[in-house]
Amino acid sequence: MTDNAKQLAAEAAAFLRTHFDVEGINLALVLGSGWSSGADQLGDPIGEIELGEVPGFSRPVVSGHGGKLLLKRTTGGKVAAVLTGRTHYYEGRGVAPVVHGVRTVAAWGATTLVLTNGCGGLNPQWAPGTVVLIKDHINLTGDTPLEGATFIDLSEAYSKRLRDLAHGVAPELPEGVYVQFRGPQYETPAEVRMAGILGGDLVGMSTTLETIAAREAGLEVLGLSLVTNAAAGLSESNLDHTEVLQTGRDAGPRLAGLLAGIVGAL
């Protein structure tokens, strides 16, 4: 992490401490496509703020993505920061803005990070609406949030302890490997086949860069993907963002209950 990135995260964390009058938090969540509807069930509200008002953050630019930071007290008595939007790599702002939220919550005291997303699925048994635990990832952006000789061990990028905890809440959850492409175009059928050959089960446009930054900051990471559609070439229909959003809306009540159960157990 550069000195500038570290300073900006510290400034954002200091701003949030003052705004909420909360010295530190225990965990944080980033809610991707389809997941924001679950925010209301994550605990008692402490307060909220528009992300664009926090130093270093920008308002989300993608339809269907929220734009607030919510502070919650979970049923387990912990303080959780819930980001209902994220900056995506395909927006062209560079890696630092993509991972600024992760670095901010780490500077604010979080030790656990839950990353969620909507994605395409390669496994035909995972119908749209299926939630998959991320057990590993493949970063095809060609980029990283790390600077210089920063050698971060990613042998367990996604915590097995947290995956086991999630299985305690929902034993039926499958696990898979998430592949991040740069976007914003959806993957071609050939790219989807390549992802499968490389060992991928899910394809999307977020999460891996945030996970790398989280591990650099010492955060334990749990990743949850909502399969919003079969990946390109695996169904007869073409990909459509409005259908992706509709799948998220349809799964909303179930996702809310699942997230509430997992967060309550953290």
Side-chain angles (χ1 to χ4, degrees):
M1 187 190 320
T2 66
D3 289 341
N4 286 342
K6 186 175 183 179
Q7 180 179 350
L8 187 56
E11 289 176 2
F15 174 89
L16 292 168
R17 286 190 187 98
T18 300
H19 177 82
F20 290 110
D21 194 23
V22 172
E23 181 59 29
I25 60 174
N26 304 108
L27 64 145
L29 299 92
V30 178
L31 302 186
S33 297
W35 290 90
S36 291
S37 61
D40 291 342
Q41 295 188 30
L42 294 178
D44 295 328
I46 297 173
E48 64 179 58
I49 188 173
E50 294 288 336
L51 279 172
E53 297 178 15
V54 183
F57 285 83
S58 300
R59 286 179 171 79
V61 300
V62 182
S63 173
H65 291 197
K68 293 183 178 181
L69 187 155
L70 313 175
L71 204 62
K72 301 275 188 175
R73 190 171 300 279
T74 72
T75 55
K78 296 185 177 180
V79 179
V82 183
L83 284 70
T84 66
R86 55 162 44 106
T87 295
H88 288 80
Y89 187 64
Y90 57 68
E91 294 174 32
R93 303 177 187 178
V95 181
V98 172
V99 302
H100 176 61
V102 172
R103 288 169 170 167
T104 295
V105 297
W108 199 5
T111 57
T112 302
L113 178 67
V114 180
L115 294 171
T116 69
N117 61 57
C119 68
L122 276 67
N123 187 331
Q125 296 182 349
W126 297 344
T130 301
V131 174
V132 181
L133 288 170
I134 303 176
K135 66 179 179 181
D136 204 347
H137 75 226
I138 299 172
N139 173 18
L140 293 184
T141 68
D143 214 335
T144 175
L146 307 181
E147 296 282 344
T150 307
F151 304 115
I152 302 299
D153 179 23
L154 294 180
S155 300
E156 194 179 317
Y158 300 89
S159 167
K160 185 178 185 303
R161 183 186 76 85
L162 294 182
R163 299 202 314 271
D164 289 345
L165 182 151
H167 277 136
V169 174
E172 73 281 2
L173 292 178
E175 297 191 353
V177 176
Y178 180 91
V179 182
Q180 180 178 354
F181 286 82
R182 178 188 177 101
Q185 70 280 352
Y186 288 114
E187 304 78 20
T188 68
E191 289 169 338
V192 169
R193 290 196 299 272
M194 176 189 72
I197 291 169
L198 292 176
D201 304 293
L202 309 159
V203 292
M205 305 174 194
S206 69
T207 304
T208 72
L209 298 172
E210 292 161 302
T211 295
I212 296 168
R215 297 302 299 136
E216 179 190 22
L219 298 176
E220 198 173 8
V221 179
L222 176 67
L224 294 161
S225 286
L226 170 66
V227 177
T228 57
N229 56 274
L234 300 181
S235 71
E236 295 181 1
S237 59
N238 293 331
L239 302 184
D240 187 324
H241 186 60
T242 58
E243 293 180 7
V244 169
L245 296 179
Q246 186 60 50
T247 299
R249 286 191 289 269
D250 293 344
R254 184 166 46 82
L255 297 182
L258 174 63
L259 260 187
I262 291 174
V263 169
L266 289 176

